[in-house]
Amino acid sequence: MHGPVSTAWLLVALCALTGAYCLLRMRSAVEEQRRAAGGEALMGFGMAAMAVPAAVFTPPRWAWPVYAAVFGAAALRALWAARGGPHHLHHLVGSAAMVYMAVAMAAAPPAAHHAHGGTGVPLLTGALLLYFTGYVLLSGARLVPAAGPAAGSAPVRWGDRPELARACRLSMGIGMVAMLLAM
C-alpha cells in the first residue's frame, strides 16, 4: 500500500495482532464464534500482508490474483452464511473490499505500487470508505461498557470475551479505512 513506511508497519502490526487474537478465538466453545473468528483471522492476516511497505517487499505480479481468489472465496462463504443472519454481510463487504484492493493492485503498473497516482477517489473506493468509517464509528460506540460483570460469575475465557471480539472488528475496520485511504 502507499503512504509512510512507519504508518504501514503500524498497520501491519495492528492487523497481524488482530489476526492472532482471532486465531485464539477459534478455540471458543461456541461454534458460530469459531466460524466468525476464522474469517476474521483470514482478514487480519491478509490485511497485514497487503500492508507490508513496498520498499521492504513487493509481491510478485501473480500474488494479487491469488489474493483476489482467496478473498473471493471468503466473500462467497460470507454470502452463503448470510442466509442465516444479516451479521455475516459485514464479512461479505470486507472480503469484497479485499478483492477490490487486490484487483486494483494487480491492474496498477508496477511503478504505481511505490507512489500514489493522484487520480482521485473512485466511486467504489469512496463507497467503501463511507461504509467502513460508519462501521468504525458504530463499533467504537458499542465498545462503551453498559454494566460491569455480575458478581460471582464464572471467569470468561480469552477466546469468548465479546468486548475483545468487538475491539478486534473495530481494529480491522480502522485498518480497512487506512488501506482504502492509501489506495
Side-chain angles (χ1 to χ4, degrees):
M1 302 307 306
H2 315 293
V5 173
S6 60
T7 304
W9 281 120
L10 287 172
L11 186 58
V12 169
L14 175 74
C15 294
L17 287 172
T18 300
Y21 177 71
C22 290
L23 285 179
L24 180 65
R25 283 183 40 229
M26 288 181 68
R27 297 176 46 200
S28 171
V30 181
E31 183 177 347
E32 181 60 30
Q33 189 166 323
R34 282 194 310 268
R35 282 191 204 138
E40 291 165 2
L42 173 69
M43 183 71 68
F45 290 127
M47 288 171 63
M50 197 178 273
V52 171
V56 175
F57 175 72
T58 302
R61 297 290 293 169
W62 57 263
W64 300 116
V66 171
Y67 271 101
V70 167
F71 285 101
L76 289 175
R77 183 180 178 282
L79 181 62
W80 182 258
R83 297 174 307 120
H87 57 278
H88 293 282
L89 292 176
H90 174 70
H91 291 150
L92 174 63
V93 173
S95 296
M98 291 294 283
V99 170
Y100 169 67
M101 288 188 286
V103 168
M105 293 302 284
H113 294 278
H114 299 286
H116 192 357
T119 58
V121 178
L123 184 61
L124 183 54
T125 304
L128 288 169
L129 273 169
L130 281 175
Y131 172 80
F132 282 106
T133 300
Y135 181 81
V136 164
L137 293 173
L138 184 62
S139 295
R142 288 182 178 164
L143 275 178
V144 176
S153 62
V156 180
R157 293 174 41 186
W158 279 100
D160 293 328
R161 300 192 56 179
E163 70 278 7
L164 290 178
R166 283 188 210 109
C168 234
R169 292 181 190 114
L170 174 64
S171 297
M172 284 193 287
I174 291 168
M176 190 64 77
V177 168
M179 290 176 75
L180 287 165
L181 284 173
M183 284 188 65

